[in-house]
Amino acid sequence: MTKKCFQIAALLLLSFISIQAQDKKAKDLLNEVTAKIKSYDNIVIDFKYSLNNAKENINQDSKGNVTMKGNQYVLNFMGVTKIFDGQKTYTIVPEDEEVTVSKVNEKDDNAITPSKMLTFFNSGYKYNMDIVQNVKGRKIQYIKLAPTSTKDQRKEILLGIDVQTKHIYNLIETGKNGTKTTLTVNSFKTNQPLSKNQFTFVASKYPKYYINKLD
């Protein structure tokens, strides 16, 4: 009996050590991704976004692009352009001929920005290494992230990382309601020549638009 208990305890201990080592591997890889992203002057990404829910019969695909420099960005997605100049966000909706201007509290951890999307995993998650896939000759290592907050509506997130470049290849979110959203990076360019006014909202470009100032 004592021998059996010892064997069970030894197996549990080995499993725990294995999980700890796996967690460290995952953490080390995520740290490499963060360091790589922070080393660039700017990043330009073209992406594909898919939303699926078999139960609700929802299947949507969209494309977009984003240019980032520090915390500034220009995001084009689903016919809407968002410009963040470091202080204010300008949401331009051509369909409504309207521009909404709002202030952003940079200290607000809940404020979602494209730059945070590339480093969101640094807090609030448990993580461990998952499968490795070969995608068109690229080795993609997946890390499974589980939100630590019980209020989070996401069940888990799979983050695909290109092992060679340390760039994020895709992000697959599975919600507790069965909705799966996938963001796939089609093009990842860095240190591009950007214009001086890249992140500046120029009102004269939208003479007929209604400017809605929230703050």
Side-chain angles (χ1 to χ4, degrees):
M1 184 72 179
T2 309
K3 190 178 179 183
K4 194 174 182 183
C5 286
F6 176 79
Q7 285 175 333
I8 292 167
L11 277 170
L12 287 171
L13 185 62
L14 284 170
S15 298
F16 176 75
I17 290 167
S18 171
I19 289 165
Q20 290 291 95
Q22 203 174 33
D23 286 351
K24 188 184 183 306
K25 255 184 159 182
K27 179 63 177 167
D28 288 346
L29 183 55
L30 291 174
N31 285 342
E32 285 184 77
V33 171
T34 303
K36 200 77 185 280
I37 286 162
K38 287 182 176 178
S39 72
Y40 299 125
D41 179 62
N42 63 65
I43 299 171
V44 180
I45 293 173
D46 285 331
F47 61 87
K48 179 186 173 184
Y49 179 86
S50 301
L51 188 148
N52 306 94
N53 187 317
K55 205 183 281 184
E56 301 291 331
N57 200 24
I58 298 169
N59 194 356
Q60 298 173 351
D61 286 333
S62 310
K63 287 184 178 179
N65 60 74
V66 61
T67 300
M68 295 174 276
K69 181 181 172 73
N71 66 342
Q72 297 176 308
Y73 65 84
V74 178
L75 170 68
N76 295 297
F77 184 55
M78 297 182 82
V80 175
T81 297
K82 269 195 172 193
I83 300 171
F84 179 55
D85 61 9
Q87 291 185 323
K88 292 181 180 179
T89 301
Y90 301 84
T91 305
I92 304 158
V93 186
E95 192 179 347
D96 300 333
E97 292 195 338
E98 184 178 68
V99 178
T100 302
V101 186
S102 58
K103 282 184 182 176
V104 173
N105 182 1
E106 290 181 51
K107 292 176 183 176
D108 182 6
D109 292 330
N110 295 317
I112 300 297
T113 64
S115 53
K116 281 186 184 178
M117 288 297 286
L118 294 176
T119 55
F120 74 93
F121 43 76
N122 284 319
S123 62
Y125 298 91
K126 289 178 183 176
Y127 38 75
N128 60 287
M129 299 294 260
D130 205 82
I131 63 168
V132 177
Q133 280 189 341
N134 190 304
V135 181
K136 296 176 184 176
R138 295 164 70 190
K139 188 179 174 185
I140 306 297
Q141 170 68 62
Y142 283 91
I143 292 177
K144 187 180 283 185
L145 302 155
T148 52
S149 170
T150 52
K151 292 178 182 177
D152 202 307
Q153 293 306 303
R154 296 168 301 175
K155 184 181 173 185
E156 65 178 35
I157 299 161
L158 277 173
L159 190 67
I161 297 165
D162 187 314
V163 173
Q164 188 176 354
T165 63
K166 302 297 185 293
H167 292 164
I168 293 171
Y169 165 68
N170 68 350
L171 184 151
I172 305 163
E173 279 187 4
T174 304
K176 290 174 181 174
N177 64 353
T179 300
K180 183 181 277 190
T181 55
T182 305
L183 192 147
T184 304
V185 175
N186 293 327
S187 162
F188 192 108
K189 296 175 183 175
T190 60
N191 302 337
Q192 298 296 293
L194 303 179
S195 73
K196 196 184 284 184
N197 299 320
Q198 184 78 39
F199 306 101
T200 304
F201 173 71
V202 182
S204 59
K205 286 185 179 179
Y206 309 93
K208 294 179 181 178
Y209 280 46
Y210 171 69
I211 308 294
N212 180 19
K213 294 182 180 180
L214 297 181
D215 301 301

